[in-house]
Amino acid sequence: MSDNRTRKPTLTDRYVYAVGRRVPRSQRAEIENEVRERIADQVDAWTAAAAGRDGGSTDAAERAVLTDLGDPDRLAATYLSKPLQLLGPMYYLVWSRLLRLLLAIVVPVVLVAVGISNGLHGDSAWGVVFGVIGVGIQTAVHLCFWTTLVFVILDRREEWFKVRRHSLDFTTWTVDQLPQLESERGDGMVGEAIGSTIALAFLIAFVVVQQFDPWLHAADGSAIPLIDPSLWSGYLPTMLGIGAVGTALAWAVRAQGRPAWWSAVLDTVLALGAGVPTLWLWMSGRLLNPSFVEAVNVGDSAETAVGIVIAIVLAYATVQGIVSVWRGLWAANRRGAK
Amino acid sequence: MSDDLSDGHLQELRRGTVVLASLLLLRRPGYGYGLLEALNAHGFKVDANTLYPLLRRLEQQGHLTSEWDTTQARPRKFYRTTEQGDALARTLLDDWDALSASLKDIQENNR
């Protein structure tokens, strides 16, 4: 409303301009005038209060008032009741659940796929490892960025999508989602027993199929088993035996309702009994049928790469199995002590 | 109890009363800074950063109406409580009285 062009712009002019830049054109003139009025009134008050002390110059008053008003961007936001956060509380939970779910599913799948593909393309072992790490980081960053972007847009521009907040009820919470108490979950151990039985069935099926109906055949039509047939003399029967004993043990623990010291120790012995020989045979190159390796012939470097990945998986599975047995025992003891 | 803590609770308790006091005061037209001083004089310690956006919001909701007064040396935006705003003020006042009575009641029955 005052003519700004005939004189040098004051700090107030610059402040008002800075606020105006941050508000929509339709409200700009109104908000600019309001801010100008507010500054002028506060400058007057400041000058009046300071007059008794040191005479009070208008320049100092203007500076003090503007400093007090603070960052013009922030002030503009308060006039527009605009959120000064990336994502509001309405969408935070949905966003965080969805993102965790996506990360947990997509990243491992991509890692395994890329690892296998790079290995088969004949990358060196380190090439496979670095490739997998790089792709993993890229995948995670992309997932985080795009998911967050969608939610930020949704949060700020609800009218674009014609969504009402309650229509996003794919994450609406119900009482059925309440977590089981540990005491209930541990009860019976039936999950472990069933899982163990299914795993045994798969092991038997795998051993039989790979021997008698494998996916590779020699030129004369005879089967080429995956696992070195000479291992039938000791290793393979032992593995099947360990699987059977482990399953029996799981059902015994189920019958008792909770794991005990003896079952944990036995589980550990079984896990080591299966894991250590398998790993040792694998590392020394005696697990696979030599004619199978020859027939597949993926190349030395790919063989090394895939070999390392499988060795890591084997070692991890063994350690993880033992750890979970002892954690189960620890949790059961803690429940018992209560 | 530390002063910081009680300050926070006091602030929370008084938050809604600024709206009520403003609606009542603006039955007579007033501008932002004048209202700020009047509120402070009546013991409502309200911050300018709260009050100015609040006035805008109340106007957008139809509880206040505004007009620029350009007859003075400086243009000022004068706000006035609308009929709707007055009705809101009466509702809030009733609720305030009811709450006050309830609190007194609770206090007396829990000595």
Side-chain angles (χ1 to χ4, degrees):
Chain A
M1 293 200 179
S2 53
D3 186 4
N4 298 331
R5 275 169 222 137
T6 53
R7 57 186 170 79
K8 191 174 179 294
T10 61
L11 285 177
T12 304
D13 294 331
R14 286 161 60 192
Y15 193 95
V16 168
Y17 169 72
V19 174
R21 277 192 317 183
R22 290 281 172 261
V23 301
R25 205 176 292 273
S26 58
Q27 301 178 56
R28 189 168 298 160
E30 182 80 5
I31 290 179
E32 282 182 352
N33 285 332
E34 276 186 49
V35 173
R36 196 176 284 282
E37 174 203 328
R38 179 172 168 184
I39 293 170
D41 280 338
Q42 287 185 340
V43 167
D44 282 356
W46 201 92
T47 319
R53 290 205 305 271
D54 51 11
S57 80
T58 318
D59 274 1
E62 193 178 29
R63 236 164 226 291
V65 166
L66 295 181
T67 307
D68 200 42
L69 282 178
D71 190 332
D73 288 359
R74 179 178 286 274
L75 192 87
T78 66
Y79 274 83
L80 298 172
S81 343
K82 220 163 112 184
L84 285 178
Q85 72 232 354
L86 194 59
L87 199 57
M90 270 297 171
Y91 287 114
Y92 175 79
L93 273 182
V94 187
W95 166 80
S96 119
R97 279 176 194 160
L98 184 66
L99 192 56
R100 275 181 293 168
L101 190 69
L102 284 174
L103 287 174
I105 294 172
V106 177
V107 173
V109 168
V110 170
L111 290 190
V112 170
V114 168
I116 290 173
S117 145
N118 285 3
L120 290 178
H121 276 91
D123 290 9
S124 69
W126 285 112
V128 170
V129 171
F130 283 124
V132 163
I133 292 174
V135 171
I137 292 173
Q138 274 183 33
T139 310
V141 168
H142 272 287
L143 276 179
C144 291
F145 176 78
W146 294 107
T147 311
T148 308
L149 183 69
V150 167
F151 274 95
V152 168
I153 293 173
L154 201 61
D155 196 30
R156 273 144 209 258
R157 292 280 179 272
E158 228 167 290
E159 68 275 10
W160 288 3
F161 302 93
K162 307 235 183 304
V163 257
R164 290 316 310 164
R165 299 198 141 140
H166 55 76
S167 72
L168 275 176
D169 54 5
F170 63 92
T171 53
T172 296
W173 185 88
T174 69
V175 281
D176 295 328
Q177 285 169 261
L178 284 173
Q180 301 270 314
L181 295 191
E182 269 186 38
S183 54
E184 286 177 334
R185 198 172 48 202
D187 222 24
M189 315 284 296
V190 70
E192 280 83 347
I194 292 175
S196 183
T197 310
I198 293 174
L200 177 64
F202 269 103
L203 178 66
I204 293 172
F206 170 73
V207 168
V208 171
V209 167
Q210 67 85 26
Q211 175 70 37
F212 298 106
D213 188 19
W215 44 97
L216 273 187
H217 291 84
D220 63 358
S222 65
I224 305 179
L226 173 65
I227 295 174
D228 193 341
S230 70
L231 292 173
W232 276 107
S233 63
Y235 169 77
L236 282 173
T238 313
M239 287 305 112
L240 293 175
I242 287 178
V245 173
T247 304
L249 180 62
W251 284 104
V253 170
R254 149 91 184 102
Q256 216 186 23
R258 48 163 296 183
W261 278 99
W262 62 266
S263 72
V265 170
L266 194 49
D267 258 327
T268 309
V269 171
L270 291 177
L272 290 174
V276 171
T278 307
L279 199 56
W280 179 64
L281 284 174
W282 176 259
M283 302 280 274
S284 54
R286 282 184 288 162
L287 187 63
L288 293 185
N289 189 355
S291 45
F292 174 84
V293 176
E294 209 175 307
V296 174
N297 190 22
V298 289
D300 277 352
S301 54
E303 214 173 290
T304 334
V306 175
I308 289 173
V309 171
I310 290 182
I312 291 172
V313 170
L314 280 174
Y316 175 78
T318 307
V319 172
Q320 168 62 29
I322 295 172
V323 167
S324 78
V325 162
W326 289 98
R327 274 172 53 162
L329 178 66
W330 177 74
N333 285 343
R334 214 179 42 155
R335 282 196 300 276
K338 264 188 205 155
Chain B
M1 187 160 62
S2 80
D3 276 357
D4 281 356
L5 261 181
S6 58
D7 274 0
H9 287 295
L10 273 178
Q11 216 179 353
E12 199 122 324
L13 187 63
R14 291 176 171 180
R15 189 162 291 158
T17 61
V18 174
V19 173
L20 178 53
S22 301
L23 288 172
L24 293 175
L25 282 168
L26 289 175
R27 283 168 168 173
R28 274 191 215 144
Y31 62 99
Y33 196 80
L35 180 66
L36 190 68
E37 289 201 306
L39 285 170
N40 279 317
H42 282 97
F44 292 90
K45 290 194 177 55
V46 53
D47 186 55
N49 276 324
T50 312
L51 187 66
Y52 284 93
L54 174 71
L55 290 175
R56 269 188 82 75
R57 213 158 46 241
L58 286 174
E59 187 187 5
Q60 278 164 3
Q61 294 169 352
H63 300 306
L64 295 177
T65 166
S66 72
E67 211 176 332
W68 282 94
D69 176 9
T70 48
T71 59
Q72 309 282 317
R74 274 206 313 262
R76 279 190 175 129
K77 192 177 188 179
F78 273 75
Y79 290 93
R80 191 170 48 76
T81 306
T82 60
E83 237 166 75
Q84 184 196 327
D86 207 49
L88 175 65
R90 281 197 302 270
T91 312
L92 292 178
L93 260 185
D94 286 349
D95 203 53
W96 178 260
D97 289 341
L99 281 174
S100 170
S102 297
L103 284 175
K104 203 161 276 173
D105 199 41
I106 290 172
Q107 202 190 6
E108 268 162 24
N109 289 314
N110 292 278
R111 281 192 191 284

